[in-house]
Amino acid sequence: MKLEAYLQTAIQAAKAAGAIHLYHRDQDKGVSSKSNFSDLVTVVDRLSEEKIREIILASYADHAILGEEEGTIGEHHEARWVIDPLDGTVNYAHGFPCSCVSIGLELEGVRSVGVVFDPNRQELFTAIRGRGAFLNGQRIHASSCTDLRQPALLTTGFPYDVAQDRRNLEVMGRFLALGLPVRRPGSAALDLCYVACGRFEGYWEHKINPWDVAAGLLLLEEAGGKYSNFSGQDYHYGDALLATNGHIHHQMLEVIQTP
Ligand code: IPD
Ligand code: CA
Ligand code: CA
């Protein structure tokens, strides 16, 4: 019952933030840069995070929250919300409609509830641990593709310091050199949800933050997919991430590990 209540709060917050994205879509978004010229932030990132925090704290005043824009409050509580108020900011700033809100809840460090809302397509991805993954209320599953050359459709992302940290240029080059279709849509949370619902077979990225993946990883797990670090071991925040439909996981690891 409690998990269902947490889910409803996450949905309410994600939809409220999504409405903010849509409201500001055709207005001045107040774009500025953070770590470098390509790492953008908009007024909408900040307004959305404020709204999400307000909704969560109205029901759970003592819970911890980690958000991309405002950092952490209440570090040591057993319940921690991990939020990306706008994943795909560069897309959003350019009017390219591939962006979302991502809200995950960890209980005693275990990812337990996940919500990703794409206001552009009105797609709501939801999951509670042990109860399956859903897209707009319909159960979703990772794809049944068993061979990279079927072919699998792959997706990846790059850190904002890609000009300095070029590791993924090499890895992506390896997949492309095999003749495989690789995309770079620009929203890690949606990349994971799309693997979860079978639109993509595999996703990898080197430098990814907890708020990018906290919700999407649970969605993927509940949809029957698999994830690991690049050594094939348990993924922890900070590691490079490989997420797949499960069937092609080893084939992708081989490509990643064999230069
Ligand atoms: C970024 C997106 C992008 C990924 C970057 C993330 P942001 O998040 O998810 O797809 O490649 O690593 O930082 O900045 O749009 O919230
Ligand atoms: Ca993000
Ligand atoms: Ca963000």
Side-chain angles (χ1 to χ4, degrees):
M1 188 58 214
K2 231 177 177 186
L3 285 172
E4 185 56 41
Y6 292 147
L7 177 71
Q8 290 311 320
T9 300
I11 291 173
Q12 188 197 345
K15 287 198 165 168
I20 293 174
H21 296 193
L22 291 182
Y23 180 79
H24 289 269
R25 195 166 52 176
D26 302 317
Q27 301 184 26
D28 179 5
K29 302 180 186 97
V31 182
S32 56
S33 47
K34 294 201 281 189
S35 61
N36 68 36
F37 73 92
S38 65
D39 182 4
L40 301 181
V41 65
T42 72
V43 165
V44 178
D45 296 66
R46 300 208 165 102
L47 288 174
S48 303
E49 184 159 328
E50 244 171 60
K51 178 52 87 181
I52 295 167
R53 283 175 184 265
E54 183 187 306
I55 290 173
I56 291 171
L57 292 175
S59 300
Y60 307 107
D62 59 336
H63 282 192
I65 299 181
L66 166 63
E68 178 175 10
E69 307 306 333
E70 299 296 328
T72 301
I73 53 161
E75 222 152 326
H76 300 297
H77 197 278
E78 71 215 17
R80 180 174 82 146
W81 298 81
V82 184
I83 61 187
D84 192 337
L86 202 180
D87 187 49
T89 295
V90 174
N91 290 342
Y92 181 77
H94 285 80
F96 176 57
C98 176
S99 54
C100 64
V101 184
S102 174
I103 302 179
L105 173 64
E106 299 167 351
L107 298 174
E108 313 275 7
V110 177
R111 282 183 280 275
S112 303
V113 172
V115 168
V116 173
F117 180 51
D118 172 357
N120 309 290
R121 297 171 57 87
Q122 289 293 307
E123 289 191 330
L124 179 71
F125 295 88
T126 55
I128 290 178
R129 176 164 298 282
R131 301 191 199 164
F134 297 83
L135 165 52
N136 290 343
Q138 302 294 313
R139 189 87 192 245
I140 52 171
H141 300 280
S143 88
S144 56
C145 169
T146 54
D147 187 350
L148 268 184
R149 288 176 176 75
Q150 206 155 314
L153 182 57
L154 307 179
T155 182
T156 187
F158 291 89
Y160 290 112
D161 65 349
V162 61
Q164 286 75 43
D165 182 344
R166 299 176 164 228
R167 288 174 296 171
N168 200 27
L169 294 181
E170 255 179 57
V171 176
M172 184 164 106
R174 269 179 242 156
F175 283 108
L176 287 171
L178 291 172
L180 294 167
V182 179
R183 303 289 180 260
R184 194 285 190 241
S187 162
L190 286 179
D191 285 332
L192 282 170
C193 289
Y194 284 17
V195 179
C197 72
R199 292 175 185 164
F200 290 138
E201 271 68 41
Y203 159 68
W204 78 93
E205 189 157 348
H206 282 83
K207 277 186 184 167
I208 204 77
N209 291 296
W211 47 80
D212 297 313
V213 298
L217 287 176
L218 180 64
L219 260 300
L220 178 72
E221 231 179 317
E222 289 298 319
K226 175 173 175 159
Y227 61 88
S228 73
N229 62 21
F230 278 12
S231 308
Q233 287 152 352
D234 284 353
Y235 166 84
H236 299 287
Y237 294 137
D239 293 343
L241 172 66
L242 172 64
T244 70
N245 67 357
H247 309 295
I248 59 158
H249 205 84
H250 272 95
Q251 287 178 57
M252 285 193 73
L253 272 179
E254 254 172 52
V255 177
I256 286 170
Q257 290 169 357
T258 320

